[in-house]
Amino acid sequence: AGIWMDDEALCHLLAAAHRYQVASLVSLCEFQVATQLREEVAVERLLMAERLGLLGLRTKVLDYICYSDERLSRLQGSEGFERLKAQQPLLMADILSRRFPGSE
């Protein structure tokens, strides 16, 4: 179990694997991060995926965040969501277009 169950350590490992271009470890870490998503960390994981340019993880986290109106509503009240709005307006646009397709 170890590092695979420690959310923060896993994210640090993912960032290091990405930095040193260890593709197989990046893939494994992305999978683990995606399977361990929780509302408490979802927005931070989206910001991390965007910062590292991990499109697969970005898509999975967006799917998780946009799964339901109720989930999105709960996440909107978080500090991470406020940071997301301030730092990544294009991600906000992606969230809106996923929740309200055809409103572009």
Side-chain angles (χ1 to χ4, degrees), residues 2-3 8 19 71 83 100:
I3 197 166
E8 289 301 314
R19 179 178 182 180
R71 178 177 289 160
R83 198 166 33 262
F100 306 103

Side-chain angles (χ1 to χ4, degrees), residues 7-21:
D7 193 52
E8 289 301 314
L10 182 58
C11 290
H12 288 292
L13 181 61
L14 173 57
H18 179 266
R19 179 178 182 180
Y20 294 106
Q21 301 177 349

Side-chain angles (χ1 to χ4, degrees), residues 57-68 71 98:
L57 182 59
R58 180 185 190 273
T59 298
K60 288 176 181 156
V61 179
L62 278 170
D63 289 345
Y64 178 86
I65 288 172
C66 297
Y67 177 75
S68 69
R71 178 177 289 160
R98 281 173 177 262

Side-chain angles (χ1 to χ4, degrees), residues 9-101:
L10 182 58
C11 290
H12 288 292
L13 181 61
L14 173 57
H18 179 266
R19 179 178 182 180
Y20 294 106
Q21 301 177 349
V22 184
S24 59
L25 186 56
V26 168
S27 295
L28 183 58
C29 290
E30 278 187 277
F31 174 79
Q32 291 295 324
V33 168
T35 59
Q36 295 177 31
L37 281 173
R38 309 180 317 279
E39 287 184 14
E40 298 81 26
V41 298
V43 175
E44 294 303 325
R45 298 305 167 255
L46 180 59
L47 289 167
M48 177 186 68
E50 183 72 10
R51 184 176 63 253
L52 297 176
L54 302 171
L55 299 180
L57 182 59
R58 180 185 190 273
T59 298
K60 288 176 181 156
V61 179
L62 278 170
D63 289 345
Y64 178 86
I65 288 172
C66 297
Y67 177 75
S68 69
D69 289 338
E70 293 80 17
R71 178 177 289 160
L72 183 55
S73 180
R74 286 190 300 271
L75 291 173
Q76 284 177 316
S78 71
E79 287 180 30
F81 207 84
E82 290 301 314
R83 198 166 33 262
L84 176 69
K85 289 192 296 190
Q87 295 176 3
Q88 295 290 339
L90 292 178
L91 278 177
M92 285 300 304
D94 286 348
I95 289 170
L96 290 173
S97 67
R98 281 173 177 262
R99 283 310 302 153
F100 306 103

